[in-house]
Amino acid sequence: MTDIAPSSANLSAKLPLLLLIAAPRGFCAGVDRAIVIVERALEKYGAPVYVRHEIVHNRFVVEGLKAKGAVFVEELDEVPDGVPVIFSAHGVPKSVPVDAQQRGLSYFDATCPLVSKVHRQAERQVAAGRHILFIGHRGHPEVIGTFGQVPENTMTLIETVADAEAFTAPDPDNLAFLTQTTLSVDDTAAIVDVLQRRFPTIASPKGEDICYATSNRQNAVKAIASSCDAVLVIGAPNSSNSLRLVEVADREGTPARLIQRADEIDFEWLRGVATLGITAGASAPEVLVREVVAKLSEKFDVEEREVEEVRETVSFKLPRGLEAA
């Protein structure tokens, strides 16, 4: 009996892989606005245009803007005289635009309007004589910017349920809480529950501080996670909202990993995965999603299925002077 060798077609056959692609995903209105502000400023003034801090937390986006003439710095004193400067989407302390004005610098504020809303609420609560408990992550630019809106010692950072349990209030009847816009919805709710139990009169934000885009992307991951063997989140390691998406999937019982680009896909990790969830943080462009799908298609027979939880229609106006650049 003659042995029959397997055909090359059988050896090269790709395993099937169903991709459940979460929607909404990727750019939110605040990120889109911030990037357009940089691009319009470059059109209006020419290169270089300086940007204080990464305009959004995504290396691909930042490198693309660098190639067009944007220069990213961490502090205002790194900006030379006579060139325009842009403040990142995460917001800046009040002292930064004041310093820019004193130096006569032209500047544009790309702070997300939903972050600016939190800034105004902080000012109002302090003006009303309340001490603010701010739920957020230490060192994040949004937290630094929000603390910079009010006088020192009028706000305390709360990062965990343990922090909320341990906080001692000199005046328990004059407290308010606010939150970073890119937190885990579930984790934040647990912290708020503790604060409201311990301090029944604590003032709440007007509306939800966690932004619509953060909530929507977390809900979209929840919608697909139980049907997936694993989830890939496209985003940056310094992106708060992207890291929260990994946590959401993990909490649903589905292993998840954060990648920045397609070349970071660990195909060994995908061994045995038949259904893979894909999403992208609010500062990751759709081109990176398509790059990941294309890379997966090299190894698998891919079927794509988008799972849309809600359709986003939010948009924000550009600063005066850049609308028609």
Side-chain angles (χ1 to χ4, degrees), residues 29-202:
V31 164
D32 191 57
R33 172 180 179 268
I35 293 168
V36 170
I37 287 172
V38 178
E39 292 174 337
R40 293 284 180 90
L42 285 165
E43 291 173 16
K44 182 171 183 176
Y45 297 100
V49 165
Y50 279 71
V51 184
R52 186 188 179 277
H53 192 68
E54 291 185 349
I55 189 69
V56 297
H57 285 157
N58 187 274
R59 189 171 63 194
F60 178 85
V61 171
V62 169
E63 292 299 326
L65 292 172
K66 280 183 179 178
K68 295 178 181 179
V71 179
F72 293 87
V73 297
E74 286 303 310
E75 298 298 339
L76 202 63
D77 58 15
E78 299 174 63
V79 179
D81 292 336
V83 297
V85 62
I86 296 167
F87 307 141
S88 83
H90 310 97
V92 295
K94 273 185 175 179
S95 59
V96 174
V98 169
D99 289 347
Q101 288 172 344
Q102 289 176 344
R103 287 185 53 193
L105 295 175
S106 298
Y107 69 87
F108 295 97
D109 190 353
T111 301
C112 173
L114 299 180
V115 174
S116 296
K117 184 188 79 170
V118 177
H119 290 178
R120 304 292 78 78
Q121 289 187 89
E123 291 176 319
R124 285 194 293 270
Q125 295 294 3
V126 169
R130 297 187 181 97
H131 185 86
I132 299 168
L133 302 183
F134 190 77
I135 304 170
H137 297 299
R138 187 178 305 277
H140 190 278
E142 184 181 332
V143 173
I144 294 168
T146 304
F147 268 71
Q149 305 304 309
V150 296
E152 283 189 35
N153 303 318
T154 57
M155 191 182 294
T156 298
L157 183 65
I158 303 292
E159 294 191 89
T160 63
V161 165
D163 289 346
E165 292 283 11
F167 175 74
T168 302
D171 187 356
D173 290 325
N174 278 302
L175 295 174
F177 76 85
L178 298 170
T179 83
Q180 186 178 328
T181 63
T182 54
L183 299 179
S184 160
V185 174
D186 295 335
D187 287 348
T188 303
I191 294 171
V192 170
D193 285 346
V194 171
L195 294 178
Q196 291 179 328
R197 169 176 55 78
R198 294 192 63 217
F199 310 109
T201 61
I202 193 168

Side-chain angles (χ1 to χ4, degrees), residues 54 56-63 232-239 242-243 246 257-266 279-281 283-292:
E54 291 185 349
V56 297
H57 285 157
N58 187 274
R59 189 171 63 194
F60 178 85
V61 171
V62 169
E63 292 299 326
L232 285 178
V233 177
I234 304 164
N238 60 340
S239 165
S242 298
L243 293 171
V246 175
R257 284 194 176 179
L258 180 74
I259 60 171
Q260 297 192 76
R261 299 289 300 271
D263 59 9
E264 294 181 10
I265 296 172
D266 181 355
T279 188
S283 49
E286 181 65 14
V287 64
L288 298 185
V289 176
R290 302 320 309 168
E291 178 187 86
V292 165

